Amino acid sequence: MTRTIIDTPYSVKARAHSLASQGVRCVIRYYNRQNSQTFPDKRLTKAEAEAVVEAGMSIAVVFQQNHRLIGDFSKDWAAKDADAALRCAVDVGQPAGSAIYLAVDHDFLANEDLATIAAYVEHMAGALRSGGFKIGIYSSGRVARFLQWANLVDHVWLARPLGWSGSRDYLKTDAWSLYQDAVGLKIDGLDCDSNITQPGRPDFGQFTFGNAPAMALARMLDTGGSRSLYEIDARGSLNLRGGPSLEYPVIRTLAPGTRLYGLQRSGSWIQVDVEGDGRPDGYVALDYLVALAGDTRDLPVTGLQAIDIAYRELELQVREVPGGASNPRIALYYQRMDGRAATPDDGEVAWCSYFVNFCFSEVGQKGSGRANARSWITWGRPVVGAPQRGDVVVLWRESPESWKGHVGFFVGYDGDDWLLLGGNQDDAVSIRPYDPRRVLAVRRL
């Protein structure tokens, strides 16, 4: 199930558990001044929110009362809408620090219209931020850029139509938090749309509540919604093949402009999901694809993997050298990630994250890009169930609340302990056991 983040104008109270069982991890619902006859249960209620959270999902909200005409963004409506949005948030019990999105559901182009929308958002932002909430905007790329330049919004939810002004180029940036990648879907009989997030950026202002342990709440907020989305850029149709070479048979042809999701790389070929159901449909040549969202380097690769590089380094018996110097091999880990010219004292550097980043860079994939071990908590996707060989495991160090941590590759078990292959383990690249009660996250591409 690839549709992990959905938005819908219909209540999901009665089907929350069913949606969760089918892979939905976040439901985006609405605030408004009043419901319409067309959508009599459009506004999120406390009871529905509790049902969503009880089913193990998180919630995000957007305020919309039409907002398709420029007259919907007057100063008078701004005051009334701010009051209504805050009442809705209080009724639901939305926690401070989460976001309330504002809908701009039209492709506004004129500068005077953008100025009107900015004045509306400025008033709304002032009121909502005073209540402790962040501000999101659902809009075209042009509107989003205009509001971001004015520092009026914290999150951008890019509307589905890439024909809207500025949207296609905006999608290629890292400035958005959500993109509405598919509309008109049915999941468990529910009419809804689906959305994706930026790789490595799971926070888009969603929320949950209750008395669950901190790590359980963290797992609920991590939607696993990042995707690499492509579009076919070819003069004619593109062959979808049964494998990653011209020797495999053609399954069918795909028209220019077809959107598809990348699943994994094999040389210059990508295994793709055409239907959006998470299942592989075949392979296409990378040269005829243009990335709309995500990065090809985020895709897992067949063949040599990061864990294989880690074992190679283990065989090299990489170890710190005494005397306040740096092993040239460990210095390479530093240089590969942040281009350090100087070689620090290995004994003074917690270099476990440098090591894991190096292993991924050797196979052309992006790691966390940071020296802090806990930076891997939001990398890739969360692992549900037992870890597998090569999964990235993040541990706390000193205490769960500390900023300190350790990161390595899962390779097996030693009794109840987990065996990790990592750097800076007993001052070397080594395999050693760790108590699984220290695990903060298990991640996988």
Side-chain angles (χ1 to χ4, degrees), residues 151-275:
N151 294 316
L152 292 177
V153 296
D154 304 297
H155 294 285
V156 169
W157 177 11
L158 188 64
R160 162 72 175 179
L162 292 186
W164 282 12
S165 57
S167 291
R168 180 173 292 273
D169 288 338
Y170 190 84
L171 184 61
K172 297 175 183 178
T173 73
D174 62 357
W176 52 274
S177 299
L178 279 172
Y179 170 57
Q180 193 175 52
D181 66 313
V183 297
L185 305 176
K186 268 194 182 294
I187 299 177
D188 190 42
L190 175 72
D191 291 320
C192 61
D193 308 324
S194 79
N195 304 271
I196 60 176
T197 62
Q198 295 267 11
R201 297 237 318 264
D203 177 21
F204 50 90
Q206 71 273 39
F207 63 90
T208 183
F209 42 75
N211 298 317
M215 286 310 299
L217 294 179
R219 284 193 294 271
M220 290 171 67
L221 291 174
D222 191 347
T223 61
S226 67
R227 296 289 183 270
S228 292
L229 179 64
Y230 298 87
E231 187 174 82
I232 294 176
D233 183 19
R235 293 182 179 178
S237 58
L238 181 64
N239 290 329
L240 179 70
R241 294 184 177 271
S245 79
L246 295 174
E247 298 177 358
Y248 287 88
V250 174
I251 298 174
R252 59 174 159 138
T253 59
L254 303 173
T258 299
R259 293 186 184 184
L260 31 78
Y261 301 88
L263 299 178
Q264 64 179 13
R265 290 186 295 130
S266 179
S268 61
W269 295 76
I270 292 185
Q271 186 185 56
V272 296
D273 165 21
V274 181
E275 305 301 331

Side-chain angles (χ1 to χ4, degrees), residues 9 148 200 202 376 419:
Q148 282 181 318
W376 293 87
L419 292 173

Side-chain angles (χ1 to χ4, degrees), residues 110-119 139-153 170:
N111 289 333
E112 56 267 31
D113 289 345
L114 297 181
T116 297
I117 292 169
S139 70
S140 69
R142 177 178 172 84
V143 169
R145 283 187 188 276
F146 190 87
L147 297 176
Q148 282 181 318
W149 285 336
N151 294 316
L152 292 177
V153 296
Y170 190 84

Side-chain angles (χ1 to χ4, degrees), residues 387 410-420 431-436:
F410 177 84
V411 294
Y413 298 95
D414 180 8
D416 292 332
D417 289 339
W418 289 13
L419 292 173
L420 300 189
I431 297 175
R432 60 158 293 183
Y434 290 90
D435 187 337

